[in-house]
Every structure is written in structure tokens, then in C-alpha cells.
Amino acid sequence: MNLNRFRSRMAEEISKTKLGSSSSSSAAVADSSAAAAAATNAAKSRWKILWPNSLRWVPTSTDYVIAAEKRLLSILKTPYVQEQVNIGSGPPGSKIRWFRSSSNESRYINTVTFDAKEGSPTLVMVHGYGASQGFFFRNFDALASRFRVIAIDQLGWGGSSRPDFTCKSTEETEAWFIDSFEEWRKSKNLSNFILLGHSFGGYVAAKYALKHPEHVQHLVLVGSAGFSAELDAKSEWLTKFRATWKGAVLNHLWESNFTPQKLVRGLGPWGPGLVNRYTSARFGAHSEGTVLTEEESRLLTDYVYHTLAAKASGELCLKYIFSFGAFARKPFLQSASEWKVPTTFIYGTNDWMYYKGAVEARKLMKVPCEIIRVPQGGHFVFIDNPAGFHSAVLYACRKYISQDSSHQEILPDGLQLV
């Protein structure tokens, strides 16, 4: 019995020793973790002091673009649906994929569709160069009251897929945008719609309508690019400017495909500040019409930064579509006589895209054509003077939306027919 009692006591002592050792070990680990966490926090604090917010890179991606888009469109009253429309890996039958890769990865077009009354005509809106569909944020509510509005980010821009861009000619570059838009149309099962394009988006819309006129009811081109060529008389100033050292440098940068987006990316932590100065000046102090509210300016700046700073893709089309000075390599005057879709041109009265190019094209067109000028508007007339822009669009599309023919031909106050 004494031996057994002795053994029991020894077992208890050993157990206590193990427990104490274990507790000490756990405490040591806990102390070590706490010390490591404290050291990490101290390092972060020192990093914040040495590297303030103004010097930190702002991350971006298509996910950031879509998040910024959601914040911008949160100020709207009209419900909408955002979706990524699958356009496949390349146009059927094409030997060259849009992203010029052996990959079978599908590509997507970022799309927003707004609620509309049943039977409303469909209006598809296409943004311009360096922009994305969110630039129409001041127009969606008003237009959605009369149309089924669908806006897209073109392939390689905004929240759409951004494949590597390695097109090597004007023909390939045009196909990148036209064919991807056609695959998007098929995926959405659309036909007989009104197609509106701004600036470079107007160029794409017009080229699409030339190739697929059977799907387009009416073409609305807002400050559209593509109506001037280097052979125009007004290009004489460009020839003289190119002869200067400044002109030679800028022309070299253009032909090297140096884009404004590359500047924003290259500035790193100073990129958002540059974008903020641009939006504040262009749509604020130097606005042609109604300035942005503080909230609009803040949300648009955030959105614009992410659309510009994300991976380079569609932006690299620039030198293949236009020569230095924004002169079209394949100007519309060469194909105006082939147009099969009724067209309305809309220009702000202060738009640097000269409306007289459309006047010359109209002389060659064999379809109905109108040219409308909107007061207090520059190249972004739909932001500068949204009310005037909405009136111009409604007038352009009057035959598709009005049930009262007696008011169809009355031009709204302030607008000018050329």
C-alpha cells in the first residue's frame, strides 16, 4: 500500500510539472505573439510617418472600376442592372482573336440597363476615348424616362475585359471594336435599336452602322470624331507645328502610342491628384455650362482615376485610328455616300470637334441627316448642359417616342439646326 501511495504521489507531481511547463510555454508563445504584433504596429506607424498617404500608390483594377461606377451611379433615381455580358473569346470565323492570344478565355462587356416603360425604344450609348459609360451619369435618369437605356464599356475600357492590345493596323483596330460590339449585341439579343456614340464612340458607332445597318434604327453621333483628315485645309497649321521641335516631340510621342493614361499611371501616387485637377477644372472652373456639385465632382474624379489607371488595353487604338492632331486615317467623307441609317449629329456650340465636317458629310449622304448644336456645351455637352443635350436627343428620336405628331417638328428652345 505504501508503495502504491508513493507511486500515486509521484504521478501527481509529474502531472503538475507538465501542466506548469505547458502553461509556461503557452504564456511564452502568447508573449512572443504580442511582442511581434507590437513590433509590426510600430513599424507601420513609422512607415506612415515616413511615407504619408500622398506618396502611396492607389491600387486599381477592373473590380475597382466597377466599384467606383457603383458609387457614381448611386446618386441616380432610376433602378438599373449591371452585368458582365460574355462575348466569347473571339469573333466566330476570325483568324485573329480580339486579344490576339491563343487563349480560349472568354471576354466580357460591362453593361448597365435601366428600367423603362414597356414598349419604350432601346437606346444604346457608347462612350468616347479615355472614358466609360459612367460619363453619362447626368443623363441616365432623364433618358430612361423615354427610352430603354443600355450603356456599355467598350472592350478594353472601363469595367470590361482588358485584353492585351496588339493590333497592327487601322483595319484590325476597327474590327476589335466593331466585332466585339456585334458579339455583345448577339448576346443581348438586340435589334432595331437607336445607337448613340460620343467622340471616338461615335466613330465606332458609325463604323458599326456601316457594317450592320440592319440592326440600327437611328444613329446619333455626339461630337463625333472621324470627319477630318490631314488633307483638309485646316490641317496646314499642323504641318507648320510639326516643323517645330515641340511639334516633332509630340508627334513622336503620338506615333509611339504614348497615351494620357500612361501619364496617370506613371505618376503613381500623384495620379489621383492630377485627375482631380483635371475634373475640377474641366467640369468646374472652366465648365462650358452647369458645373458639377461637390458630390458629383468627388465621385466622378474617383471613377475617372480608376478607368484611366487600370491595365492598358483599348486606349492603345489611338495611333491606328487617328494621326497626330486627331485626324482620321479613314475619314467618314470617304464612306458617307454608303450610309444606310438615318443620322443626327449633336455638337456643343463650343466643341473642339468641328461640326462643319458633318456638314460636308451630309452633302454626300443619301439618308436623312440633321445637325443640331447645343448651347453652353463643349465636347462633353452631355455633362456641360444635360438639359439641352436631352432635348436634342429627344428631338433626334422624335419619330420613335412621340405619339403626338403635331409636336414632332418643333425644335426645342435654345437648340440650333444647321
Side-chain angles (χ1 to χ4, degrees):
M1 290 292 294
N2 290 339
L3 182 60
N4 291 335
R5 194 174 297 155
F6 175 75
R7 288 174 177 170
S8 296
R9 287 181 180 178
M10 287 294 294
E12 289 176 6
E13 290 299 324
I14 292 172
S15 178
K16 288 179 181 178
T17 302
K18 286 184 177 180
L19 286 172
S21 176
S22 177
S23 298
S24 299
S25 177
S26 297
V29 170
D31 291 343
S32 176
S33 298
T40 300
N41 291 332
K44 288 181 177 178
S45 297
R46 288 194 297 272
W47 179 253
K48 287 181 179 179
I49 294 172
L50 296 173
W51 201 255
N53 288 333
S54 60
L55 297 180
R56 292 178 200 158
W57 289 72
V58 178
T60 192
S61 66
T62 52
D63 289 337
Y64 280 91
V65 173
I66 293 173
E69 169 194 291
K70 185 176 181 180
R71 291 191 291 270
L72 178 62
L73 300 188
S74 69
I75 63 179
L76 303 180
K77 298 177 181 178
T78 309
Y80 71 92
V81 174
Q82 181 270 334
E83 61 180 326
Q84 292 286 347
V85 178
N86 190 335
I87 59 171
S89 58
S94 174
K95 295 180 180 179
I96 302 176
R97 298 178 185 274
W98 296 313
F99 52 100
R100 297 175 64 89
S101 166
S102 58
S103 169
N104 288 321
E105 179 184 353
S106 292
R107 304 293 167 171
Y108 298 86
I109 296 293
N110 185 41
T111 306
V112 291
T113 304
F114 290 83
D115 286 359
K117 296 177 182 178
E118 187 175 351
S120 298
T122 298
L123 174 67
V124 177
M125 305 180 74
V126 183
H127 63 82
Y129 183 87
S132 37
Q133 51 85 3
F135 273 63
F136 295 116
F137 76 100
R138 275 188 154 185
N139 317 116
F140 289 140
D141 278 336
L143 295 179
S145 68
R146 307 300 295 272
F147 301 93
R148 178 195 178 203
V149 175
I150 305 176
I152 67 165
D153 289 335
Q154 297 192 69
L155 183 66
W157 267 314
S160 293
S161 297
R162 293 180 176 237
D164 292 338
F165 188 92
T166 53
C167 295
K168 299 299 181 184
S169 68
T170 300
E171 292 77 14
E172 286 184 4
T173 304
E174 288 182 352
W176 163 289
F177 296 105
I178 295 170
D179 292 348
S180 59
F181 183 84
E182 172 60 4
E183 292 308 304
W184 171 84
R185 182 202 66 78
K186 291 177 182 177
S187 294
K188 291 290 290 180
N189 194 28
L190 292 177
S191 192
N192 206 32
F193 55 88
I194 300 164
L195 181 57
L196 182 151
H198 170 243
S199 194
F200 174 69
Y203 181 93
V204 173
K207 291 288 185 176
Y208 176 83
L210 278 166
K211 187 173 182 179
H212 302 283
E214 68 277 11
H215 301 305
V216 183
Q217 266 185 319
H218 196 89
L219 194 58
V220 181
L221 304 180
V222 183
S224 181
F227 289 91
S228 57
E230 285 195 54
L231 297 179
D232 296 347
K234 71 171 186 175
S235 69
E236 292 180 6
W237 70 269
L238 183 63
T239 302
K240 295 178 181 179
F241 179 66
R242 277 180 177 164
T244 67
W245 71 268
K246 291 182 180 179
V249 169
L250 290 175
N251 185 65
H252 174 73
L253 289 174
W254 185 285
E255 294 300 329
S256 300
N257 231 349
F258 184 86
T259 65
Q261 291 90 328
K262 289 182 179 179
L263 178 62
V264 172
R265 295 186 197 102
L267 286 175
W270 294 278
L274 175 65
V275 174
N276 181 52
R277 285 192 291 275
Y278 166 73
T279 55
S280 298
R282 173 59 186 83
F283 304 114
H286 299 122
S287 173
E288 303 290 349
T290 307
V291 300
L292 298 178
T293 66
E294 185 176 336
E295 181 184 25
E296 287 177 327
S297 181
R298 176 177 57 81
L299 293 173
L300 181 62
T301 296
D302 176 54
Y303 178 67
V304 171
Y305 170 74
H306 287 294
T307 61
L308 296 180
K311 176 188 172 182
S313 183
E315 72 191 64
L316 300 175
C317 72
L318 195 59
K319 78 168 189 175
Y320 298 107
I321 300 295
F322 306 106
S323 61
F324 178 59
F327 292 106
R329 297 191 186 276
K330 285 192 170 185
F332 284 123
L333 292 180
Q334 297 176 0
S335 56
S337 62
E338 302 170 16
W339 286 27
K340 297 179 176 63
V341 177
T343 303
T344 300
F345 295 95
I346 298 176
Y347 289 88
T349 52
N350 298 314
D351 195 336
W352 63 271
M353 283 288 184
Y354 204 38
Y355 75 93
K356 289 194 174 179
V359 174
E360 293 302 311
R362 181 171 60 179
K363 295 176 182 178
L364 304 173
M365 295 169 68
K366 301 172 184 176
V367 295
C369 175
E370 293 177 326
I371 303 173
I372 303 173
R373 301 188 74 198
V374 180
Q376 295 182 303
H379 190 53
F380 292 95
V381 60
F382 46 89
I383 296 180
D384 295 327
N385 184 358
F389 173 73
H390 302 153
S391 294
V393 173
L394 293 178
Y395 182 78
C397 304
R398 57 196 180 276
K399 66 180 290 186
Y400 309 107
I401 60 177
S402 177
Q403 302 299 319
D404 185 356
S405 60
S406 63
H407 296 289
Q408 285 189 357
E409 300 304 323
I410 301 176
L411 185 70
D413 292 340
L415 303 184
Q416 304 171 19
L417 272 179
V418 178

